[in-house]
Amino acid sequence: MQLHNVPYFSVGLTGGIGCGKSTVADLFAARGASIVDTDQIAHSLTAPNGAAMPALVAEFGADYADARGALDRTKMRNLVFADAAAKARLEAILHPRIRQATLAAAAEATGSYVIFAVPLLVESGGWVERVNRVLVIDCLESLQVSRVMARNGLSEEQVKAIMATQATRAMRLAAADDVIDNNGDLAALAPQIAQLHDLYLAFSKRMAGIGSQRL
């Protein structure tokens, strides 16, 4: 998926599970940014009558769809955690469709700039080069665990197992052009987002005059 030579300034937003990516994306959207959320795209593809469901059922069997015709996420999660080959088969079906839908959504964006919310941006190996800036939402790992336990009802061991499959905090920070500290409350996010929004607006205006590049 190539995002260079496009008429908009783009930011790749990422962070570990429980870091607050969705909250930050919503706050940028309120300021006029267009948000393209790859997690939401993946969910729509695997919802009842989702575009990926026929291929998933053909590959994994009808018992991987629930009673509504959506992907049985718990069953699929358990499979891919235990079987790397199954994970590769799943990604071979989903990733091309996610890329296509992501490009289509970006082409329709009307905001002052585009933020691609990509949970596995660092892990994917290509997104860093596809966007103009990488924005990492950062918080303590202990806070990630407590937030996800409260939000999803998972055990500490389950949350840590998910975190173990993601890039480390240090790896995400090493890839970042910009960092938002989300160790505090909602009020602590506002000034950070205001500052970055002004920066991204300036970059967007600059890029309109000089063309796409790493900023």
Side-chain angles (χ1 to χ4, degrees):
M1 177 173 59
Q2 295 298 320
L3 297 174
H4 296 299
N5 302 316
V6 291
Y8 50 73
F9 172 74
S10 62
V11 178
L13 182 156
T14 195
I17 187 171
C19 282
K21 297 180 295 295
S22 296
T23 298
V24 170
D26 288 345
L27 291 169
F28 274 107
R31 290 181 174 270
S34 288
I35 308 297
V36 178
D37 189 321
T38 59
D39 244 8
Q40 290 182 3
I41 289 171
H43 276 73
S44 69
L45 290 170
T46 56
N49 301 313
M53 286 308 300
L56 290 171
V57 169
E59 179 67 27
F60 293 98
D63 53 341
Y64 279 88
D66 64 20
R68 302 174 301 126
L71 180 66
D72 187 327
R73 301 185 195 285
T74 300
K75 189 168 187 175
M76 183 61 74
R77 186 184 303 116
N78 291 338
L79 175 66
V80 300
F81 261 107
D83 186 343
K87 180 181 178 183
R89 288 157 55 205
L90 175 67
E91 291 175 346
I93 292 171
L94 288 181
H95 285 187
R97 290 169 171 84
I98 292 171
R99 285 194 293 270
Q100 183 178 8
T102 297
L103 286 174
E108 296 175 359
T110 58
S112 47
Y113 52 90
V114 177
I115 290 181
F116 295 94
V118 187
L120 301 181
L121 182 145
V122 174
E123 297 87 334
S124 68
W127 269 101
V128 172
E129 290 76 30
R130 294 170 186 150
V131 294
N132 301 113
R133 303 279 288 191
V134 171
L135 170 59
V136 168
I137 317 305
D138 181 57
C139 71
L140 295 171
E141 292 178 350
S142 59
L143 192 53
Q144 287 180 253
V145 172
S146 61
R147 284 174 175 167
V148 178
M149 288 176 65
R151 181 186 70 193
N152 294 9
L154 299 178
S155 69
E156 180 177 353
E157 292 73 21
Q158 288 173 312
V159 179
K160 287 183 175 179
I162 294 171
M163 290 170 62
T165 69
Q166 299 182 340
T168 65
R169 184 183 182 192
M171 290 169 63
R172 285 192 296 270
L173 290 173
D177 296 298
D178 306 302
V179 177
I180 285 179
D181 183 319
N182 194 20
N183 284 300
D185 58 14
L186 196 60
L189 289 176
Q192 298 181 75
I193 289 172
Q195 183 177 16
L196 283 174
H197 175 67
D198 289 343
L199 178 68
Y200 295 159
L201 282 178
F203 278 146
S204 183
K205 291 175 183 176
R206 178 184 171 195
M207 200 180 86
I210 64 177
S212 178
Q213 62 172 313
R214 191 90 184 144
L215 295 168

